[in-house]
């Protein structure tokens, strides 16, 4: 059965056997592709990708290839993870500097004006 047939059957029946077949077919290639881009977030991105595929399977359009749709979801999942990391770093940075400044007995306003 083609991946496209599997997802159509999963959407129509809700039978998880079809979803597992898709996962079994694409899990390793997807993880390999993600690891080749960024080993650090590959596992988290893969998990998020499969969760999004499961939640949004009805958005797949007949006529599109399943693999293209899957890898697009993975790409956007990685972007979301990077954005979340950037926000955490950006929000956490002043607190980290402030703690270091207090430890070094340096006034915070001096650090901010530099």
């Amino acid at each position: 059965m083609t991946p496209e047939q599997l997802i159509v059957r999963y959407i129509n029946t809700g039978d998880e056997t079809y979803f597992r077949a898709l996962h079994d077919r694409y899990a390793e290639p997807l993880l390999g592709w993600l690891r080749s881009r960024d080993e650090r977030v590959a596992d988290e991105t893969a998990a998020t990708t499969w969760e999004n595929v499961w939640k949004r399977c009805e958005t797949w359009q007949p006529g599109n290839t399943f693999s293209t749709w899957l890898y697009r979801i993975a790409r956007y999942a990685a972007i979301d993870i990077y954005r979340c990391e950037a926000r955490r770093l950006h929000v956490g940075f002043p607190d980290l500097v402030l703690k270091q400044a207090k430890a070094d007995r340096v006034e915070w306003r001096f650090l901010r004006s530099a």
Side-chain angles (χ1 to χ4, degrees), residues 11-53:
I11 291 168
N12 291 335
T13 66
D15 185 348
E16 291 183 9
T17 306
Y18 298 114
F19 187 84
R20 272 189 242 117
L22 286 167
H23 183 270
D24 291 347
R25 188 177 296 182
Y26 285 99
E28 286 302 315
L30 176 66
L31 190 56
W33 181 74
L34 291 168
R35 284 184 176 152
S36 73
R37 267 100 187 118
D38 189 345
E39 178 100 21
R40 187 178 50 82
V41 298
D43 291 329
E44 181 181 358
T45 304
T48 302
T49 299
W50 286 109
E51 181 182 357
N52 289 339
V53 168

Side-chain angles (χ1 to χ4, degrees), residues 1-19 21-22 53 56-66 69:
M1 213 178 282
T2 69
E4 291 74 23
Q5 291 169 329
L6 289 170
I7 194 158
V8 167
R9 295 241 173 123
Y10 176 67
I11 291 168
N12 291 335
T13 66
D15 185 348
E16 291 183 9
T17 306
Y18 298 114
F19 187 84
L22 286 167
V53 168
R56 299 182 181 131
C57 63
E58 281 94 17
T59 65
W60 178 80
Q61 298 290 317
N64 294 333
T65 61
F66 175 78
W69 183 71

